[in-house]
C-alpha cells in the first residue's frame, strides 16, 4: 500500500490507474509483459532492475524500499 497502491490497482485494496492492475500478480507466469519469468525473487528483481529489463517503462525507481520488504513481496 505504501509504494504501489498510488499507481497500481489491486482489487479490494487500491484503485491506482497509472500502472498495470496487479490483482492477479500471484497467478501470473511472467512480469513486465513477458520480460521476466515469475519465480522466487522475481518481483524483487523486477523492482530493482525494471529499467534494465524493460527500458523506458514508466515505473519510478524503488531504491527506497527495504530489502526485507522486497523479499516479502
Amino acid at each position: 500500500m505504501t509504494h504501489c497502491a498510488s499507481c497500481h490497482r489491486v482489487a479490494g485494496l487500491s484503485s491506482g490507474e497509472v500502472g498495470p492492475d496487479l490483482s492477479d500478480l500471484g497467478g501470473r507466469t511472467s512480469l513486465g509483459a513477458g520480460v521476466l519469468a515469475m519465480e522466487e525473487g522475481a518481483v524483487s528483481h523486477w523492482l530493482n532492475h525494471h529499467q534494465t529489463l524493460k527500458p523506458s517503462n514508466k515505473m519510478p525507481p524503488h531504491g527506497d524500499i527495504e530489502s526485507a520488504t522486497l523479499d516479502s513481496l
Side-chain angles (χ1 to χ4, degrees):
M1 292 301 293
T2 303
H3 298 281
C4 307
S6 61
C7 293
H8 294 279
R9 178 183 181 276
V10 176
L13 296 175
S14 65
S15 58
E17 297 179 1
V18 176
D21 187 327
L22 299 180
S23 298
D24 66 345
L25 183 65
R28 293 183 185 181
T29 58
S30 65
L31 294 171
V35 171
L36 183 65
M38 180 61 91
E39 57 190 16
E40 179 102 14
V43 173
S44 177
H45 186 72
W46 170 259
L47 291 173
N48 282 316
H49 305 285
H50 60 88
Q51 285 299 330
T52 302
L53 294 165
K54 189 173 182 181
S56 300
N57 72 69
K58 296 179 182 178
M59 191 156 57
H62 293 295
D64 60 331
I65 302 176
E66 296 179 17
S67 295
T69 301
L70 288 175
D71 292 342
S72 72
L73 295 172

